[in-house]
Amino acid sequence: MDLKFIKRNLFTFVKIISTVLITSAIGLESWNIYAVITNSYLPSSLNPIFWIERFAMTSHFIESIIAAFYAPSRKKMPIKYATYTFFVGTIGLLELFDQQDDY
C-alpha cells in the first residue's frame, strides 16, 4: 500500500465520522435549547458532552471562517467551501491548502 492510498482512505473515514458527529452536535444543541425554552429537565451527566460538542462546533466554525477567507484564492466558492469545512473540519482546510496553484 502506498501513502496516498492510506491518506485518501483515512481522510474519507474522518470526513464521514466528522459529518455525523457535527450533525449530532447540532441536534444535541437544538435539544438543549429546546429544553431551556420549555424549562425541561436535562440530566446533569450530559454537561461534559455539551461542553465537548460546543468546543468542537466552535473549532469547526473557526475553520470554516478561515476556509471562506482563503477559498477565493483557490478558485472555490467561499460559502460552499466554508460549509464543507464546517462539517469535515481540518480535513477541509488541508484539502484547500494542498491544492496546487494554477498560476
Side-chain angles (χ1 to χ4, degrees):
M1 290 187 175
D2 64 336
L3 192 58
K4 284 189 176 189
F5 178 75
I6 294 171
K7 180 180 170 183
R8 186 176 65 234
N9 285 342
L10 181 65
F11 276 18
T12 302
F13 178 73
V14 170
K15 285 187 221 178
I16 292 168
I17 295 299
S18 180
T19 303
V20 168
L21 290 176
I22 286 296
T23 304
S24 300
I26 292 169
L28 256 170
E29 196 59 39
S30 300
W31 178 39
N32 189 30
I33 291 169
Y34 175 77
V36 168
I37 291 172
T38 61
N39 292 325
S40 300
Y41 170 76
L42 287 177
S44 62
S45 61
L46 291 177
N47 283 341
I49 294 173
F50 284 122
W51 283 107
I52 291 169
E53 65 93 358
R54 287 175 187 147
F55 175 76
M57 287 189 42
T58 303
S59 300
H60 281 236
F61 182 69
I62 292 169
E63 290 171 342
S64 69
I65 291 171
I66 294 168
F69 182 76
Y70 284 105
S73 69
R74 304 294 183 169
K75 296 182 169 87
K76 300 280 186 185
M77 292 179 56
I79 299 296
K80 185 177 177 182
Y81 211 82
T83 305
Y84 171 73
T85 304
F86 177 76
F87 282 101
V88 299
T90 306
I91 301 281
L93 284 178
L94 290 174
E95 289 174 348
L96 180 66
F97 293 126
D98 192 35
Q99 295 175 355
Q100 298 297 323
D101 288 336
D102 294 333
Y103 306 114

